[in-house]
Amino acid sequence: MVKLHVKRGDESQFLYETTVDKTVDEIIKEVTVIYNGRLKISRVCDEMEELAKHGTLLPPNIMGLTDEQVEELKLVDEWGEKCVPSGGWTFNKDPIGRRNGRQPNEHMQDVIKRTTEEAKTMVSKKQVQAGVCLTQKMVQDALDILRGAILIVYPMNLPPHEVIRHEFENTEDLSGMQASLEVIEVTQAQLWFSGKEMYRGKKMADYLGRNEKTKVIVKLQKQGQGPPGREPVISEEDRKQMMLHAYRRQEELK
């Protein structure tokens, strides 16, 4: 099996295993789905950490208003009354006014904390150093355990306007957010190898040869962004070692 070390720019993302007989189209789709899936997991984990601290998201007509404005307008967070965490809650005001402040109890907070840590570990960039290849199933498994934790803490599910729920239902709206710039549509994705674009319609073997034991660096890029920077001839670690060796040699010659 060919091992692809997928990067975005100069930053390692994950390892992916495939064969040289697959088409570039197939690999672009699979790699992009995993890449976007990792971004989704990161977004969900970030929001779940806020959920554990400050409860569910306020409805759009209340979010951002002061307590006085809510009272004056006689607005009620009806979904906050319906979607109550297991074991009850204590009030912990959200300083930025996004969430209703109904913090789950410590045990439920721990369920969320442990699950988000597990999910992040499953798709962590550290898996590259560990030599673990990511698959679409691993990404889906991470999302599934996050979804499971939510149903443990919120058996009645989350409000329909909750961003975590939208993420699970793939109805999230990222427009106007930094996250929208990170996501790459499959139709706009490109793979680059050794400074050259890997064109759709060709096979991986056209670029990598027939050796199935190859390990190569490929770079995921969005159409229109131009070619990514080439890999340095020597790695950063090797460069540091060379400088250290030169320094020691210089000291010896004094």
Side-chain angles (χ1 to χ4, degrees), residues 48-89:
M48 283 178 65
E49 287 164 11
E50 290 301 307
L51 179 75
K53 289 189 283 189
H54 303 297
T56 58
L57 207 67
L58 286 166
N61 64 328
I62 296 180
M63 190 183 296
L65 298 180
T66 64
D67 293 341
E68 292 76 16
Q69 288 171 322
V70 172
E71 191 174 336
E72 185 181 334
L73 295 169
K74 295 182 171 58
L75 299 175
V76 178
D77 178 13
E78 294 179 2
W79 285 102
E81 301 293 335
K82 297 175 185 175
C83 304
V84 179
S86 294
W89 53 273

Side-chain angles (χ1 to χ4, degrees), residues 1 13 17-18 22 30 41-42 51 63 68 82 110 116 139 148 156 169 178 190 205 210 222 227 242-243:
M1 299 289 280
Q13 299 295 321
E17 211 165 39
T18 184
K22 282 208 170 184
E30 291 167 11
I41 289 165
S42 177
L51 179 75
M63 190 183 296
E68 292 76 16
K82 297 175 185 175
D110 190 53
T116 54
V139 171
M156 300 296 289
E169 295 173 354
Q178 176 64 28
Q190 297 175 332
R210 301 299 310 174
K222 192 181 288 188
M242 288 172 67
M243 289 176 66

Side-chain angles (χ1 to χ4, degrees), residues 68-132:
E68 292 76 16
Q69 288 171 322
V70 172
E71 191 174 336
E72 185 181 334
L73 295 169
K74 295 182 171 58
L75 299 175
V76 178
D77 178 13
E78 294 179 2
W79 285 102
E81 301 293 335
K82 297 175 185 175
C83 304
V84 179
S86 294
W89 53 273
T90 53
F91 188 71
N92 183 21
K93 187 176 178 63
D94 183 358
I96 59 174
R98 288 181 74 237
R99 297 185 171 275
N100 65 12
R102 298 186 175 192
Q103 182 180 37
N105 66 29
E106 285 189 15
H107 176 61
M108 292 297 122
Q109 289 175 47
D110 190 53
V111 168
I112 292 174
K113 183 175 183 290
R114 283 187 287 106
T115 307
T116 54
E117 286 175 355
E118 182 182 353
K120 286 191 282 190
T121 299
M122 288 168 70
V123 298
S124 168
K125 292 175 183 177
K126 291 180 181 177
Q127 298 284 41
V128 173
Q129 297 164 318
V132 176

Side-chain angles (χ1 to χ4, degrees), residues 185-205:
E185 296 294 331
V186 172
T187 54
Q188 295 183 325
Q190 297 175 332
L191 274 184
W192 290 69
F193 165 65
S194 194
K196 296 178 182 176
E197 183 182 349
M198 304 176 83
Y199 290 108
R200 295 172 186 264
K202 289 184 173 288
K203 287 197 169 185
M204 297 300 286

Side-chain angles (χ1 to χ4, degrees), residues 18-45:
T18 184
T19 74
V20 295
D21 290 322
K22 282 208 170 184
T23 64
V24 172
D25 303 67
E26 290 175 294
I27 301 303
I28 287 176
K29 181 181 179 182
E30 291 167 11
V31 164
T32 306
V33 167
I34 292 173
Y35 171 78
N36 288 335
R38 289 181 68 252
L39 292 176
K40 179 186 280 284
I41 289 165
S42 177
R43 294 194 303 269
V44 170
C45 287

Side-chain angles (χ1 to χ4, degrees), residues 48 140 142-152 168-169:
M48 283 178 65
Q140 188 58 53
L143 286 168
D144 286 344
I145 66 168
L146 292 170
R147 187 183 285 108
I150 289 297
L151 291 177
I152 290 171
F168 288 146
E169 295 173 354

